[in-house]
Amino acid sequence: SPLDNPDNAGQSIAVTGNTFCEPTNLDVLLGRGGLTNNHAGNIRYREEVEKVKPMYFSCRTKNEKKEVSELLVAYVQDYGGRFLEKDPNTKRWILASPKAARKKASQALRETKWKQSREKKDEKPG
């Protein structure tokens, strides 16, 4: 696993000048809104996120949570996905930095569905 060998983590993201990428169905598109939400790679990614969430929420330290988010990034890369973001100047997709990919993973893992967290609040005795 990528955690056993930290040197491998993020290996498929080399620092590229600004290499333009054609998104595939495995890629995770960074950014907000319908385009990214409905992209096949993001849909698969959200499914993977749900599988890892129990591990994330059982973490006791910030460092453990960071490791889980790095594991998620490495897993996406293992199945051939890349984390892509829009170049603000050219409006074309480029490889996101390893840090941006990890932030995206952490953000997704932290997210709870609004309805679920609302129901939990309602269950607390008044």
Side-chain angles (χ1 to χ4, degrees):
S1 94
L3 284 184
D4 298 336
N5 186 355
D7 296 338
N8 285 350
Q11 66 187 0
S12 64
I13 294 186
V15 178
T16 58
N18 273 0
T19 307
F20 299 121
C21 303
E22 219 30 72
T24 72
N25 285 344
L26 298 174
D27 292 334
V28 178
L29 306 181
L30 276 61
R32 306 196 74 75
L35 174 72
T36 56
N37 281 340
N38 297 323
H39 177 69
N42 288 52
I43 293 169
R44 164 147 190 202
Y45 170 70
R46 285 197 300 274
E47 289 168 0
E48 304 303 340
V49 167
E50 290 304 318
K51 292 178 195 166
V52 181
K53 268 185 186 179
M55 194 195 309
Y56 183 82
F57 283 115
S58 71
C59 290
R60 297 181 191 276
T61 67
K62 219 173 170 178
N63 213 35
E64 285 177 358
K65 287 181 173 173
K66 184 181 175 201
E67 281 189 359
V68 174
S69 60
E70 285 169 349
L71 191 68
L72 179 60
V73 170
Y75 180 67
V76 169
Q77 293 168 347
D78 281 349
Y79 68 64
R82 301 167 298 178
F83 288 79
L84 304 180
E85 59 191 352
K86 269 234 167 107
D87 180 306
N89 303 317
T90 63
K91 306 283 186 256
R92 296 184 58 192
W93 293 103
I94 57 173
L95 281 178
S97 71
K99 188 176 180 185
R102 196 180 60 72
K103 278 176 80 171
K104 172 86 175 172
S106 298
Q107 176 196 348
L109 288 163
R110 274 197 310 272
E111 240 166 44
T112 54
K113 292 196 178 82
W114 180 80
K115 195 175 172 206
Q116 286 176 340
S117 56
R118 174 82 184 260
E119 281 165 3
K120 282 188 188 124
K121 278 184 202 141
D122 291 347
E123 282 167 15
K124 286 181 187 157

